[in-house]
Amino acid sequence: MSERRTQILRAAVRVIAQDGVRGLRIEKLAAAAGVSTALIYYHFKDRSGILHAALEHINRRAENYTEPAQATNGDPLAELEQMLLLELQDIDEVRENSVAWGELRASAVFNHDLRKALQTTTRAWNTDIEDLVGQAKAVGGVAADVDPALAAEHLTALVEGLSERWHSGSISLHRARQVLTQVIAGYRARTT
Amino acid sequence: MSERRTQILRAAVRVIAQDGVRGLRIEKLAAAAGVSTALIYYHFKDRSGILHAALEHINRRAENYTEPAQATNGDPLAELEQMLLLELQDIDEVRENSVAWGELRASAVFNHDLRKALQTTTRAWNTDIEDLVGQAKAVGGVAADVDPALAAEHLTALVEGLSERWHSGSISLHRARQVLTQVIAGYRARTT
DNA sequence: GTCTATACAGAGATAGAC
DNA sequence: GTCTATCTCTGTATAGAC
């Protein structure tokens, strides 16, 4: 992919994180990227083209920082906790991504075109978490009667809910992390 | 409140549920309400006035159907489950409200004016659920070491997360209800 | 209170030069 | 590939009659 394209896409994520998908203005994006509006149309055809490309870009970034972070000494549940808490951090890149991701979800409610990309990434995330729960089960970290798929959907949906509350000012970041931590603790070798 | 106002507000909720807060067009709203655009400005001053009034209206509706539904024989946890599952139903009024409410949250991420109304309703909801968890604790329905406030935030944030996934097509309604039911079941007299 | 007609601004998109 | 200039459409908002 050309330099220019990525330059514009990076700017797009920034602008989306600030104004939302539906608040994205080509002129503002052009300013943020330091190029003319015409160039944006040249590279992305139209508004919807930019949006799709930007959302793909967000997905790719999301997949990246999902990768194994620190050593967790083979404790799958600890790794899971780390992976989920990753989304709830006040660091520019993470917050930007998380807000933009939330916007993608919110927009997909009304724009059916966006749903497919959303589903793919959501499923991938669910699967990652499901695997970790499965591993935790194998080593006795969680009870045998926990359904990994169900637990994964529970945890990821919860993270999304907490993120949006955080971004919309209805819960503090600290509190959100606390809720999540407690819920995960609740999975440690218990019943159901 | 005048007849006309409520007529317009009802239409507004419908339109918001269909196109989102940011997709609301005065002309479309006028058509949906069967009035002229000028009349809308007459009653609500400007676009933002309509939005605020519509969101208040949504809040009022939400508070209503939150009321005790069916007899639950004094089982607080059953009542809680019923109250939360209420949000996950494929019935026009509920879905409309739930979508509109999701839009309010999503818009509040970028529009700080909306946050106050959001916080108020969120807090009220949390408190209701917290009370029920407290009652359940009192009758031994949930373990003594469960923190009702934390549990309430967990459950309500989860419902929001599941709702949005449902509305954006990333989870089926049935599956969302299943996840929620299981999570609540996990609270029945257990540790943490 | 309610409508018709219209002014005005903002934002998406394109033409054409370099 | 990239820019400047500009066209055009859509959507908010108002004027003024009834």
Side-chain angles (χ1 to χ4, degrees), chain A residues 127-142:
Chain A
T127 306
D128 286 351
I129 299 296
E130 183 180 339
D131 284 351
L132 287 172
V133 176
Q135 288 173 36
K137 252 179 90 165
V139 293
V142 307

Side-chain angles (χ1 to χ4, degrees), chain B residues 22 62 65 95-96 109 111 126 131 147 150 173:
Chain B
R22 287 160 288 184
Y65 72 57
R95 204 187 45 248
E96 229 170 50
V109 173
N111 184 343
N126 273 146
D131 284 351
D147 175 343
L150 214 63
L173 178 58

Side-chain angles (χ1 to χ4, degrees), chain A:
Chain A
M1 159 141 40
S2 86
E3 259 320 292
R4 272 293 197 236
R5 273 183 71 94
T6 46
Q7 173 186 350
I8 294 170
L9 288 179
R10 259 197 295 272
V13 177
R14 245 181 297 135
V15 175
I16 290 175
Q18 200 169 79
D19 301 335
V21 164
R22 285 159 290 186
L24 182 141
R25 297 290 165 257
I26 307 300
E27 204 157 344
K28 184 161 181 180
L29 170 55
V35 301
S36 69
T37 63
L39 188 63
I40 293 177
Y41 287 103
Y42 172 78
H43 282 294
F44 299 95
K45 170 145 174 76
D46 60 13
R47 190 178 185 282
S48 139
I50 303 159
L51 243 37
H52 275 86
L55 296 172
E56 268 173 45
H57 188 245
I58 291 166
N59 276 353
R60 269 196 304 281
R61 288 193 0 173
E63 279 161 23
N64 287 343
Y65 73 59
T66 266
E67 292 309 312
Q70 285 174 291
T72 44
N73 305 316
D75 178 353
L77 213 51
E79 193 181 325
L80 179 153
E81 178 167 345
Q82 198 180 268
M83 209 170 137
L84 292 176
L85 282 174
L86 220 51
E87 300 285 323
L88 295 170
Q89 287 187 112
D90 203 358
I91 291 174
D92 283 351
E93 193 196 349
V94 174
R95 203 186 46 249
E96 225 172 54
N97 234 51
S98 166
V99 169
W101 177 253
E103 262 293 285
L104 168 54
R105 263 182 285 124
S107 305
V109 174
F110 307 104
N111 184 346
H112 289 224
D113 294 10
L114 299 176
R115 294 191 173 194
K116 214 181 152 191
L118 183 69
Q119 284 164 3
T120 306
T121 311
T122 303
R123 186 169 310 123
W125 191 24
N126 273 147
T127 306
D128 286 351
I129 299 296
E130 183 180 339
D131 284 351
L132 287 172
V133 176
Q135 288 173 36
K137 252 179 90 165
V139 293
V142 307
D145 63 350
V146 167
D147 176 342
L150 214 64
E153 283 188 288
H154 166 210
L155 292 171
T156 55
L158 175 61
V159 169
E160 288 177 358
L162 290 171
S163 287
E164 191 156 26
R165 278 205 183 172
W166 167 39
H167 297 311
S168 61
S170 286
I171 195 172
S172 72
L173 178 58
H174 174 261
R175 180 65 167 174
R177 291 174 63 94
Q178 195 179 356
V179 170
L180 181 58
T181 305
Q182 277 297 312
V183 169
I184 294 173
Y187 272 106
R188 294 199 179 270
R190 66 151 216 256
T191 291
T192 293

Side-chain angles (χ1 to χ4, degrees), chain B residues 133 136-137 140-147 187-192:
Chain B
V133 175
K137 253 179 89 165
V142 306
D145 63 351
V146 167
D147 175 343
Y187 273 106
R188 293 198 178 273
R190 68 150 215 256
T191 289
T192 294

